[in-house]
Amino acid sequence: MKKVFKILLWVVVGLVFCGTFVFLYLNSKDEEARYATVRPETATIEKSTVLTGKIEPRDEIEVKPQISGIISEIEVEAGDLVKEGDIIARIKVIPEASQLSSAQSRVNAAEIELADARVKHERDKALYEKKVISREEYETSEKTWLKAQEELSAAKDAYTIVREGVSQYNASESNTLVRATITGLVLDVPVKVGSSVIQANTMNDGTTVATIADMNNLIFRGNVDETEVGLLRVGLPMNISIGAMPELNPTAVIEYISPKGSDTSGANTFEIKAALQLDSAEGLRAGYSANASVILAKAENCLAVPESVVEFVGADSTYVYVQAADSVSYERRTITTGLSDGIRIEVKEGIDSTAVLRGEKLK
């Protein structure tokens, strides 16, 4: 019994050994490599890039007051359409004590001069009627009296302007009325009733009462990386996609490329501006984020192959594997490549449209 058991044990060990040997032998054999085949095709290859930016009005006008004071009324709010000359706000003037005192003093002096001129004129009139003085002397005193009247009127008007900011002769054109300087959309009104405002002068820029822009004249403003800016040129068309309005896909034309780069998050970029071509800007808002797709280069009706079948060696050597006459083996062949879109690449020389190329390896 023991002898039979030993024989069986040795048989099992032998089978395990033989099975292991056969398994290792089969796995050590090289499998026959099989590849998918690819044929060149005629195609149009475009190299494009996508720029990020915003939709902005070409010009945003900041409307500033012509006089300092306090906002007493605001006639518009953000989103309103205004025409050139429309009243945006009214300003209440807070006069300086010294200016007010000087204007009042001028009025008093003008009243004194007028009273003196009137007395002299009345006296000369009586003397002229009695033929005591000449007509020339009489007319001179009359002119002096009329000038004194005009000076008093001017002094009173100057006093009114200092005190109220409004002239009695042209109240409709008063500096206290802040008017729109262009026709467009009110983008922002950064002041409120009661806010103090300062007129623009050589010492400061003045207080902005409202910002107005023509929303029918829009541009795309974005940035392009320094590696691609050399491929752009003024007049190049772009396709714009606006995230907030996916149904609107306007075109644009590049009209400005900055000659100087700027450091943006560690990358050197250049600003570009492109004029939007729109039939209507209805619904568009200033500051919408947008992407611009621009074709940097294009090769039409060229021989193209998938870039995955091309072998790149060094900086300027490219090869493909062309199926040999036996339809089993492949031969390495040098080609000259052109434009690539990242998926397909242009082949200028080395193969023709009848070539069968080695593609991805099949399992």
Side-chain angles (χ1 to χ4, degrees), residues 123-350:
R123 183 183 61 204
D124 288 349
K125 182 179 180 181
L127 293 174
Y128 174 70
E129 291 175 350
K130 294 178 181 181
K131 301 186 183 298
V132 175
I133 62 174
S134 66
R135 181 178 180 84
E136 182 180 356
E137 291 177 301
Y138 167 70
E139 290 177 348
T140 299
S141 67
E142 185 178 32
K143 290 178 182 178
T144 302
W145 176 52
L146 294 174
K147 287 182 179 180
Q149 293 180 32
E150 187 64 27
E151 171 60 23
L152 178 60
S153 178
K156 288 182 176 180
D157 190 51
Y159 175 77
T160 303
I161 292 174
V162 171
R163 186 183 64 186
E164 301 176 4
V166 180
S167 171
Q168 61 181 339
Y169 299 113
N170 56 350
S172 62
E173 300 298 327
S174 169
N175 288 346
T176 60
L177 302 178
V178 182
R179 297 179 180 272
T181 54
I182 64 169
T183 298
L185 183 72
V186 178
L187 301 181
D188 187 27
V189 182
V191 296
K192 298 180 180 179
V193 173
S195 299
S196 296
V197 294
I198 302 173
Q199 71 180 106
N201 53 44
T202 56
M203 301 299 294
N204 59 71
D205 294 332
T207 305
T208 299
V209 176
T211 303
I212 304 174
D214 181 4
M215 294 300 290
N216 291 315
N217 190 2
L218 300 173
I219 63 170
F220 169 83
R221 187 194 300 269
N223 293 290
V224 60
D225 189 81
E226 63 180 345
T227 59
E228 297 177 332
V229 68
L231 300 174
L232 298 178
R233 66 181 185 277
V234 173
L236 205 62
M238 313 173 75
N239 292 318
I240 307 296
S241 59
I242 303 171
M245 302 181 69
E247 72 283 356
L248 186 64
N249 293 292
T251 58
V253 176
I254 297 177
E255 61 181 18
Y256 171 79
I257 303 173
S258 174
K260 181 180 179 181
S262 59
D263 190 352
T264 305
S265 302
N268 195 28
T269 61
F270 292 78
E271 182 185 55
I272 69 163
K273 298 177 184 177
L276 257 68
Q277 299 176 336
L278 284 168
D279 295 330
S280 173
E282 184 178 357
L284 274 177
R285 299 178 183 273
Y288 268 163
S289 297
N291 293 327
S293 175
V294 55
I295 299 174
L296 303 176
K298 187 175 183 179
E300 295 184 344
N301 299 321
C302 64
L303 195 65
V305 298
E307 192 165 326
S308 59
V309 307
V310 180
E311 179 184 358
F312 296 90
V313 179
D316 55 0
S317 298
T318 50
Y319 305 90
V320 292
Y321 288 86
V322 181
Q323 192 177 71
D326 59 10
S327 300
V328 177
S329 60
Y330 295 88
E331 60 181 22
R332 193 184 195 208
R333 187 176 298 180
T334 303
I335 61 171
T336 302
T337 57
L339 190 64
S340 170
D341 61 5
I343 299 175
R344 296 174 300 177
I345 189 168
E346 177 188 7
V347 179
K348 295 182 175 180
E349 295 179 0

Side-chain angles (χ1 to χ4, degrees), residues 104-124:
Q104 182 62 61
S105 177
R106 179 184 172 186
V107 172
N108 294 338
E111 288 177 341
I112 293 172
E113 290 294 330
L114 177 61
D116 181 61
R118 183 173 60 251
V119 170
K120 289 181 179 180
H121 174 63
E122 291 176 351
R123 183 183 61 204
D124 288 349

Side-chain angles (χ1 to χ4, degrees), residues 8-20:
L8 291 175
L9 180 61
W10 281 108
V11 170
V12 172
V13 172
L15 291 173
V16 171
F17 178 78
C18 292
T20 303

